[in-house]
Amino acid sequence: MKTIKTTTDLAEFCSRAAETDYITVDTEFLRERTYYSKLCLIQLAFRGDGETDAVLVDPLAEDLSLDPLLDLFRDPDTVKVFHAARQDLEIFYIDHGVIPYPLFDSQVAAMVAGFGEQAGYETLVRKIAKQPLDKSSRFTDWSRRPLSDTQKAYALADVTHLRQIYEFLRKKLSDTGRDKWVEEEIATLMAPDTYVTHPEDAWKRVKTRSNAPRFLAIVQELAKFREAYAQDRNVPRSRVFKDDALVELASTKPKDMGDLGKSRLLLRDARKGDIAQGILDAVQRAQDLPKERLPEPDTSRQSAQVNPALADLLRVLLKAKTDVSGVAPKLIASAADLDALASGERDVPALSGWRREVFGKDALRLCDGQVGLAAKGKQVQIVEL
């Protein structure tokens, strides 16, 4: 098992990899104590005929620049293959401003190709590569050096088996004409906005029970402060204060340090210093907002009247369609999407692209009363009305 620790060695490997059709990629990182992921190891492999066709790259090595790898990531002639790529891509985009292209995500491909919703790497290795996978090193500290042989073997397996998985899935998608479906899904992974959280939008992820405009304004300001603070200091947002504390603060509207001291949910460190002052300033900014500038909740789905019987029929239709197509149901439509369809909304992902072909077209016909559903044995069939 070769570990690359110099730019020269990395350049040599990437030069050989660039002559092939694809390269498999994985990373190991830490994020428990930071806002941004700390890259600790990169695994690379391509289809060759020697032991050096799969290597580990140590990004913590002093004499290593990742520039040769970033150049390979930009090479349009070599497909970059990941499994569950989102977190890996976030690291490369945040740290280096690069999103590997062209891209193939074996998890997405497996969900399209009939491996179900739980298309984990271990499952694919077992079903496609017909190999066991030792996951005992999954939760080790990848920032510590030296790495053990067990850690190295575990890490390398994440890209060596991926070669066979990629070739199998690529052929299956091509044979079934579904390769374009995967390309549609990967377009989201290629979008830079996927990996950037703007502090002013952070409040939209906070779950609240109240839609009162002033309350939402406080939630907005508190979430904005927390996100910016976490980003600036590279600490997890939960280390600043958690969502339940944020909602509590939006309800109690603290005016001074004494009020903060009465909070049941606020962490001790957040009751003093920069965090405490940031909380008070955020609450005050929200309180000072004129009524016309208060945020308005998105009540489009809540206000729409869901037809529960139609929603149940759509669920049955989705199950029937995915049983036939083998596509994972959650990749086509979420429960919220089905409820939206049953309430008359038509701006949902299930009605566009490949989803429309697999499910959306018949879902609209069902909603419009043009077709019904009937059970025949263990199958559900569409009946023209």
Side-chain angles (χ1 to χ4, degrees):
M1 290 177 285
K2 181 176 180 179
T3 301
I4 291 177
K5 297 185 178 182
T6 68
T7 307
T8 300
D9 286 347
L10 181 59
E12 190 275 333
F13 177 85
C14 290
S15 177
R16 290 191 294 122
E19 297 176 358
T20 66
D21 294 336
Y22 70 89
I23 182 171
T24 56
V25 189
D26 192 33
T27 69
E28 305 297 340
F29 55 87
L30 296 179
R31 198 172 189 171
E32 289 80 8
R33 299 182 182 88
T34 58
Y35 182 92
Y36 299 107
S37 297
K38 178 183 179 180
L39 182 60
C40 299
L41 193 68
I42 306 170
Q43 303 96 282
L44 305 169
F46 58 84
R47 178 66 77 185
D49 56 5
E51 292 184 0
T52 57
D53 298 334
V55 298
L56 304 176
V57 180
D58 187 354
L60 305 182
E62 293 183 1
D63 296 328
L64 178 73
S65 167
L66 292 181
D67 285 348
L69 179 59
L70 302 178
D71 288 340
L72 180 59
F73 281 171
R74 299 184 185 98
D75 184 347
D77 295 325
T78 304
V79 178
K80 273 61 74 171
V81 182
F82 292 77
H83 180 83
R86 193 190 185 287
Q87 287 187 302
D88 302 311
L89 300 184
E90 180 181 3
I91 293 172
F92 292 118
Y93 181 73
I94 296 297
D95 290 354
H96 302 285
V98 174
I99 297 177
Y101 174 84
L103 178 71
F104 185 94
D105 188 322
S106 61
Q107 185 178 64
V108 173
M111 292 172 72
V112 169
F115 284 86
E117 296 186 355
Q118 304 301 322
Y121 185 68
E122 187 174 2
T123 299
L124 297 183
V125 171
R126 186 176 67 252
K127 291 185 176 182
I128 296 175
K130 309 298 183 185
Q131 296 289 330
L133 195 63
D134 179 11
K135 304 297 286 185
S136 60
S137 297
R138 181 183 302 176
F139 300 111
T140 59
D141 184 348
W142 292 101
S143 67
R144 299 186 64 179
R145 295 294 184 270
L147 296 174
S148 68
D149 288 343
T150 300
Q151 286 177 301
K152 292 178 181 179
Y154 161 86
L156 211 55
D158 282 344
V159 288
T160 51
H161 297 310
L162 189 53
R163 294 177 296 195
Q164 187 174 349
I165 291 169
Y166 166 65
E167 292 176 4
F168 176 91
L169 292 174
R170 180 183 61 183
K171 183 178 186 305
K172 184 165 186 177
L173 292 171
S174 178
D175 290 346
T176 57
R178 296 183 181 183
D179 39 2
K180 298 298 183 184
W181 299 8
V182 174
E183 289 178 12
E184 284 186 37
E185 297 306 299
I186 286 177
T188 300
L189 293 173
M190 297 299 300
D193 282 348
T194 302
Y195 309 105
V196 178
T197 300
H198 301 286
E200 58 269 21
D201 295 329
W203 71 286
K204 297 175 183 178
R205 293 197 310 265
V206 180
K207 294 181 180 179
T208 64
R209 293 184 178 180
S210 172
N211 283 329
R214 186 68 63 182
F215 171 83
L216 290 179
I218 301 175
V219 170
Q220 185 179 43
E221 289 295 333
L222 286 170
K224 179 181 177 181
F225 161 71
R226 179 179 66 174
E227 203 73 21
Y229 185 97
Q231 290 178 353
D232 289 344
R233 291 160 178 80
N234 195 22
V235 296
R237 64 177 67 90
S238 61
R239 292 280 186 94
V240 186
F241 47 83
K242 297 182 180 180
D243 280 3
D244 55 357
L246 188 155
V247 173
E248 179 194 48
L249 292 168
S251 299
T252 58
K253 308 176 184 65
K255 297 179 179 179
D256 52 38
M257 296 292 182
D259 289 342
L260 287 182
K262 299 174 185 177
S263 170
R264 295 182 302 108
L265 302 174
L266 201 59
L267 298 172
R268 182 179 303 174
D269 289 344
R271 300 168 189 253
K272 58 186 178 182
D274 292 342
I275 297 179
Q277 190 58 54
I279 291 172
L280 296 176
D281 291 344
V283 172
Q284 190 60 54
R285 283 195 302 271
Q287 294 284 53
D288 291 342
L289 275 178
K291 291 184 66 174
E292 61 270 18
R293 290 182 56 194
L294 294 176
E296 295 183 3
D298 180 8
T299 58
S300 57
R301 290 195 176 186
Q302 294 95 317
S303 60
Q305 187 65 39
V306 177
N307 181 333
L310 180 55
D312 287 342
L313 286 175
L314 286 168
R315 284 167 171 77
V316 173
L317 176 65
L318 178 61
K319 178 67 166 57
K321 288 290 186 176
T322 55
D323 283 348
V324 173
S325 67
V327 180
K330 73 175 183 181
L331 198 60
I332 296 177
S334 66
D337 290 337
L338 297 179
D339 288 342
L341 282 171
S343 68
E345 187 173 339
R346 295 298 178 258
D347 184 20
V348 295
L351 298 183
S352 62
W354 66 269
R355 291 176 174 83
R356 185 181 185 90
E357 177 185 341
V358 175
F359 169 74
K361 194 161 42 177
D362 285 329
L364 285 176
R365 296 173 69 207
L366 183 65
C367 291
D368 294 340
Q370 299 175 9
V371 298
L373 301 177
K376 185 175 182 180
K378 295 182 178 180
Q379 294 184 329
V380 172
Q381 296 182 341
I382 295 176
V383 179
E384 300 289 338
L385 298 179

